[in-house]
Amino acid sequence: MTHFKYNKSTKYTDLKTIYAQCSGPGGLKLAEFMAEKMGVSKGSRLLDVGCNRGYQACFLAKEYGLSIVGIDPWKDRMDGLPMSEHLQRNAELWGVENSVLAQQAGMPETNFASNSFDYVYSTTALEMVRILIGEEGYLNCLKEALRVLRPEGILAIGEPMHLDVPLPPDLEPFVSQDEFSWKECFRDIHQTCAAIKSAGFEIIEADYAPDSQLWWSEYAEFDPFCIQTPDEDPKTLSIDNGRWVSFGYIIACKKN
């Protein structure tokens, strides 16, 4: 599998800051990878679902000239502020406050009008819906993405996924240990594609990202919660050693 050539994200070199402002693996590399896969056009409108603190949204607005609406229903684990507050502050720091709008909202009820966006983008977010509202809830989120997209609009999903292999017995205790356990949240690429097709999308491209292990390695090293708790996710990734844990991406289209 050929590795992706990063042209925009590599100039942002402070990985500690990036991983403190992003959720999960990949950071700004993931945002660039997904933007290139989507083929985004300057001036287009993108909905970032589960935007966290909004660093990826700010990067996409600045580097690709997109108009971004970022939604996240959660409050920050560090300071208790709504993620929308962090996104708006980061937009000001990035100088893209006129291109980014933050709202404390989530899927599957966004309350946006139908046909509002050219792109719906979500990374390291919707997989947790499976714990909160089940597989049917996950499907309803995808149907909501379909509704708010314009005809021919693009859905881009980037999620922690597992490879299409049995779960190694020695890894099972480590991916089953907390409220949002990886065993319950993660699916393989085929299962995720099936859900997206069931929601009414046409799949354009789907695969495991070529730099999945690089992204997970950076996450284990630089994510602040990984630094605080090295015996949790970093240990799990070390034990896994690329056998089961991966990261998948799916690009899909809303057809008329």
Side-chain angles (χ1 to χ4, degrees):
M1 188 179 289
T2 304
H3 289 267
F4 179 77
K5 183 177 180 180
Y6 303 99
N7 295 313
K8 297 180 182 293
S9 57
T10 49
K11 63 186 176 185
Y12 301 95
T13 58
D14 185 354
L15 293 182
K16 278 193 174 181
T17 296
I18 289 169
Y19 276 90
Q21 300 293 329
C22 295
S23 173
L28 300 184
K29 293 185 180 73
L30 169 58
E32 180 178 0
F33 177 84
M34 297 295 285
E36 295 298 326
K37 290 294 182 181
M38 285 187 284
V40 295
S41 301
K42 185 176 181 180
S44 298
R45 182 181 295 173
L46 179 145
L47 175 63
D48 185 347
V49 176
C51 63
N52 197 259
R53 288 186 168 196
Y55 239 48
Q56 289 186 350
C58 295
F59 169 82
L60 293 171
K62 188 175 184 69
E63 294 293 338
Y64 289 93
L66 299 176
S67 175
I68 309 272
V69 177
I71 62 173
D72 200 308
W74 288 15
K75 293 184 178 180
D76 189 86
R77 287 190 288 169
M78 292 184 179
D79 60 18
L81 288 174
M83 292 299 189
S84 56
E85 294 289 341
H86 282 288
L87 170 54
Q88 206 59 46
R89 292 177 182 182
N90 278 326
E92 292 170 5
L93 289 172
W94 281 69
V96 293
E97 62 270 26
N98 293 328
S99 302
V100 174
L101 176 67
Q103 287 191 215
Q104 188 174 6
M107 289 283 199
E109 297 175 352
T110 66
N111 296 315
F112 293 116
S114 300
N115 306 323
S116 292
F117 296 93
D118 302 297
Y119 305 95
V120 172
Y121 165 96
S122 184
T123 61
T124 322
L126 288 183
E127 73 278 359
M128 292 185 287
V129 164
R130 297 188 179 101
I131 298 290
L132 297 170
I133 53 177
E135 289 292 343
E136 184 176 354
Y138 184 86
L139 180 60
N140 286 337
C141 291
L142 296 173
K143 289 179 178 178
E144 178 70 354
L146 185 78
R147 185 187 69 81
V148 302
L149 273 170
R150 294 169 178 159
E152 305 299 322
I154 298 295
L155 171 70
I157 298 287
E159 286 185 3
M161 296 184 192
H162 66 76
L163 298 172
D164 187 14
V165 296
L167 175 61
D170 64 317
L171 182 64
E172 199 276 340
F174 296 93
V175 297
S176 308
Q177 60 188 348
D178 59 29
E179 180 183 3
F180 291 98
S181 72
W182 291 1
K183 180 180 178 181
E184 298 301 322
C185 288
F186 295 6
R187 297 293 184 271
D188 66 32
I189 194 78
H190 307 293
Q191 293 168 317
T192 312
C193 280
I196 290 174
K197 288 179 182 177
S198 179
F201 285 97
E202 180 178 304
I203 305 293
I204 298 173
E205 182 177 352
D207 205 345
Y208 296 103
D211 289 325
S212 295
Q213 294 309 310
L214 168 65
W215 297 348
W216 280 114
S217 177
E218 287 186 353
Y219 166 76
E221 183 176 357
F222 295 106
D223 178 83
F225 297 103
C226 286
I227 293 171
Q228 292 172 14
T229 56
D231 287 335
E232 295 182 9
D233 288 357
K235 185 174 182 180
T236 299
L237 290 164
S238 177
I239 291 170
D240 174 66
N241 195 29
R243 294 177 296 163
W244 187 78
V245 176
S246 188
F247 197 98
Y249 71 95
I250 299 170
I251 310 299
C253 183
K254 176 180 179 177
K255 292 298 186 182
N256 293 330

